[in-house]
Amino acid sequence: MAIARGEKPAEVVFKNGFVVNVLSGEIIEQDVAVEGDKIIAVGNYSGLTEIDCSGKYLCPGLIDSHLHLESTMVHPSQLVEQASLTGTTTFIVDPHEAANVAGKAGINFIIDATKDVPGNVYVMVPSCVPASQYDDNGATLLAADLAEYLEHQRVLGLGELMSSDEIVAGDSVMHDKINLFKRKVLDGHAGSFDDKKLNAYRFSGVETDHECTTYQAALRELRCGMYVHIREGSATKNLDAIVSGIVEHGLTTNRFTFCTDDKHISEIIERGHISYNVRRSIELGIAPIQAIQMATINAATCYGLKHLGAISPGCQADIILLDDLETFKVESVYFKGKLVEPSAGLTALSVAEPLLNSVHLAPYDKSAIQLPLDGQFPVINVINGQILTAKSIETVPQKDGYFAADAVFNKVVVFERHRASGKVGVGVLKNYGITNGAIASTVSHDSHNLIVVGDNDDDIMACVAKIEQMGGGYCLASGGQIRAEVALEIMGLMSCQDYQIVEKNVSEMIALARRHGVNDKIDPLITLSFLSLTVIPEIRIIPRGVFEVG
Ligand SMILES: [Fe+2]
């Protein structure tokens, strides 16, 4: 109070900067007085340390309103650090992947691993574990299991309610979870509902959605009372379509925020994180202050984070400095009043033993991966540039009544790997194209079972043995030998190694996959990792066998 009254100098004062006031929509030349981790006052102040900000702009730290940290395949602290250096200081994460492998232990890992990082990490508790009734995952989380998170100070609500059809239909398992979290925020996943279903979904209490891919979808959800998180990540890019519509129609933006959902670290370093969303929106014609509001106060208001999202007395001192608002090039970032600097990398990690030992296969031999054929068979066709697949019924190569894989018709196998149930699904995959080898992964949405694609059984078996030995990850075998590997020993999803090492191993594996003939119109690893996802069209492979969606 004495500092705010001007009777005592503050610890640090950012002097003479142009302060972006996201509350009033103004930019005013002022000082910002900071003590410890808090903004004490804005106005004319002096401090024990004064940082000259003449000619610079001061913005609140940016907020990513929805992301999955596991998708980076590295320790969660690494993404937070790299994104923080680009201006994102708050992350609202949904540990959906970790929960589908390890249940509450997976959620707790993400919470613990992001305790001492240069960013505020809040958690939305995964709502769909397992993702569907057809999934063989590592855990089932019912409302009673989630109750312990209700009062957790870093839990803001219930994450990505993907089973939207069940919710609209009144499914009691989902509504028990919704009722439990009804005083918190419910994150949605509305997809392509018609108006009536959307009304029912919103009426259930769901308040946000990050799945809008068009301006029209965003507008419908906005009218219905939802916050729209505009997504721009590595795999899915929706910003241009939605923001262009907002500009064209002059729409109010106070219910729009930004998110990445999934964004690779290399892309964050190259193009920025939420800073990219702001920059691109300005390029598309949104006023800078409006874009900054979308990236800060709108998300803070949506999630009830009263101490974040603005530069005003009592807010946390998460401040970014910029030379120019239009280009939105971040010069430096302060988190809780301290300059964010690159760390020396990962220090000794403590990961609980069960999370490092998550691949549990029943005893198996080559007989497990044989596919008896009697006439034609449904083939899973990879579609170039997409994670969707198409079904065709074809006569496939065979020998002695069993499918005989080749470079055109690859064999795809999924081993249930959580409970050693012995379930193994075998199918035929076309347009992937691996030749003289096999490639495997435990990153396999949404249940993260062990998936392998190959043109011969020896290499498929070599991959399975290697994955078991590594405790999860990706590997590629040829001639019965392992030729490339990316160990992801934390739940089979994340590595204990530094992100530079993981990224180098991943790019080497992709290059090797190309040399083994994998279709150059697809990402060899991402395509593999989505072949089991039961919620997108048209035909998938799961431990229970070939699965037709819908
Ligand atoms: Fe998501």
Side-chain angles (χ1 to χ4, degrees):
M1 296 287 281
I3 296 168
R5 290 195 303 265
E7 295 166 10
K8 194 180 151 191
E11 194 181 344
V12 178
V13 170
F14 294 84
K15 289 293 285 183
N16 304 320
F18 296 111
V19 179
V20 176
N21 192 321
V22 292
L23 305 168
S24 66
E26 298 169 289
I27 296 170
I28 308 167
E29 192 174 348
Q30 284 171 314
D31 307 327
V32 179
V34 170
E35 183 82 6
D37 63 357
K38 275 197 170 48
I39 295 167
I40 305 296
V42 183
N44 184 9
Y45 286 90
S46 52
L48 300 174
T49 301
E50 296 190 343
I51 299 169
D52 180 21
C53 299
S54 309
K56 295 191 197 313
Y57 293 86
L58 276 73
C59 277
L62 311 179
I63 300 176
D64 187 340
S65 52
H66 175 83
L67 73 157
H68 308 278
L69 290 168
E70 304 94 313
S71 312
T72 56
M73 299 192 286
V74 294
H75 191 268
S77 61
Q78 300 228 292
L79 179 135
V80 172
E81 182 186 319
Q82 294 305 322
S84 180
L85 287 163
T86 72
T88 308
T89 52
T90 299
F91 304 80
I92 298 172
V93 310
D94 177 354
H96 175 77
E97 321 306 340
N100 268 287
V101 173
K104 286 195 277 191
I107 299 172
N108 295 342
F109 169 79
I110 298 288
I111 293 176
D112 291 344
T114 51
K115 231 175 358 206
D116 301 310
V117 292
N120 312 294
V121 178
Y122 291 98
V123 170
M124 302 300 284
V125 176
S127 61
C128 297
V129 184
S132 81
Q133 56 179 312
Y134 310 106
D135 275 271
D136 291 290
N137 72 343
T140 298
L141 296 180
L142 301 173
D145 303 306
L146 304 181
E148 68 185 73
Y149 294 106
L150 206 50
E151 299 308 322
H152 193 291
Q153 57 176 359
R154 284 170 56 206
V155 169
L156 301 179
L158 197 55
E160 196 158 358
L161 287 141
M162 296 160 54
S163 42
S164 25
D165 285 318
E166 283 95 323
I167 292 164
V168 167
D171 175 82
S172 64
V173 172
M174 291 312 297
H175 279 270
D176 284 350
K177 295 178 192 176
I178 286 174
N179 283 335
L180 182 68
F181 281 88
K182 66 183 171 197
R183 287 191 181 81
K184 304 234 166 189
V185 181
L186 305 176
D187 271 347
H189 181 117
S192 51
F193 273 163
D194 63 27
D195 286 345
K196 290 208 165 60
K197 279 189 174 171
L198 184 61
N199 279 325
Y201 193 52
R202 173 70 189 104
F203 186 74
S204 75
V206 177
E207 216 173 339
T208 78
D209 189 22
H210 64 279
E211 293 291 331
C212 292
T213 56
T214 62
Y215 168 73
Q216 287 73 18
L219 178 62
R220 281 184 333 120
E221 295 190 3
L222 187 70
R223 286 174 176 164
C224 203
M226 292 173 80
Y227 275 91
V228 175
H229 301 332
I230 302 172
R231 173 172 57 184
E232 187 77 3
S234 292
T236 321
K237 300 177 192 298
N238 308 136
L239 189 140
D240 281 35
I242 298 175
V243 170
S244 304
I246 294 173
V247 172
E248 189 186 333
H249 298 276
L251 212 61
T252 304
T253 50
N254 64 338
R255 305 276 284 191
F256 284 105
T257 78
F258 291 128
C259 75
T260 56
D261 212 357
D262 298 306
K263 192 162 187 173
H264 300 314
I265 291 189
S266 53
E267 209 176 330
I268 293 171
I269 293 170
E270 213 173 285
R271 307 175 75 183
H273 192 242
I274 295 300
S275 54
Y276 174 81
N277 297 39
V278 175
R279 186 181 314 123
R280 182 70 190 138
S281 297
I282 295 169
E283 283 170 10
L284 291 167
I286 294 262
I289 193 137
Q290 225 175 343
I292 295 166
Q293 285 168 327
M294 289 156 81
T296 59
I297 191 66
N298 295 5
T301 306
C302 172
Y303 287 98
L305 299 166
K306 291 185 179 176
H307 64 303
L308 298 177
I311 296 179
S312 68
C315 276
Q316 192 171 296
D318 300 345
I319 298 169
I320 58 182
L321 263 57
L322 309 110
D323 288 324
D324 175 42
L325 279 194
E326 299 278 334
T327 55
F328 211 77
K329 198 165 175 316
V330 175
E331 187 219 68
S332 49
V333 181
Y334 290 81
F335 171 66
K336 291 188 173 176
K338 301 276 177 297
L339 182 66
V340 179
E341 291 178 285
S343 75
L346 280 178
T347 45
L349 289 178
S350 82
V351 182
E353 181 56 32
L355 300 184
L356 294 171
N357 182 20
S358 70
V359 178
H360 306 288
L361 300 179
Y364 60 90
D365 58 30
K366 254 189 204 171
S367 66
I369 63 167
Q370 302 314 312
L371 181 63
L373 289 176
D374 180 16
Q376 293 189 313
F377 197 79
V379 174
I380 304 165
N381 291 265
V382 170
I383 301 177
N384 290 349
Q386 297 193 40
I387 56 170
L388 304 173
T389 56
K391 179 183 150 188
S392 61
I393 304 286
E394 298 192 43
T395 303
V396 300
Q398 48 182 292
K399 197 175 168 217
D400 305 329
Y402 289 92
F403 169 49
D406 60 22
V408 175
F409 293 94
N410 285 168
K411 182 179 278 188
V412 58
V413 186
V414 180
F415 287 77
E416 187 282 318
R417 63 109 168 168
H418 302 289
R419 302 165 199 263
S421 66
K423 288 182 196 168
V424 183
V426 186
V428 181
L429 186 70
K430 208 171 157 186
N431 202 33
Y432 188 83
I434 194 161
T435 312
N436 189 23
I439 186 165
S441 174
T442 49
V443 178
S444 177
H445 297 280
D446 270 339
S447 291
H448 303 292
N449 284 305
L450 165 52
I451 185 163
V452 198
V453 173
D455 73 341
N456 71 84
D457 289 352
D458 288 342
D459 287 332
I460 290 175
M461 296 306 276
C463 281
V464 175
K466 180 65 184 176
I467 292 279
E468 216 180 357
Q469 182 234 325
M470 288 195 299
Y474 288 94
C475 68
L476 192 154
S478 181
Q481 302 288 316
I482 297 302
R483 309 290 174 178
E485 62 189 75
V486 181
L488 302 175
E489 53 282 85
I490 307 174
M491 294 178 255
L493 299 174
M494 289 166 277
S495 169
C496 288
Q497 289 184 301
D498 221 70
Y499 76 91
Q500 287 106 329
I501 297 171
V502 176
E503 295 207 336
K504 181 173 162 283
N505 291 344
V506 165
S507 47
E508 281 175 7
M509 176 164 298
I510 291 174
L512 187 60
R514 299 264 184 250
R515 291 204 293 278
H516 277 273
V518 174
N519 177 356
D520 62 5
K521 307 241 173 5
I522 59 169
D523 182 307
L525 305 190
I526 291 176
T527 303
L528 187 64
S529 293
F530 279 94
L531 284 173
S532 282
L533 185 60
T534 53
V535 294
I536 54 170
E538 181 174 61
I539 178 170
R540 330 295 298 178
I541 179 79
I542 57 175
R544 301 179 196 192
V546 176
F547 179 84
E548 289 187 39
V549 181

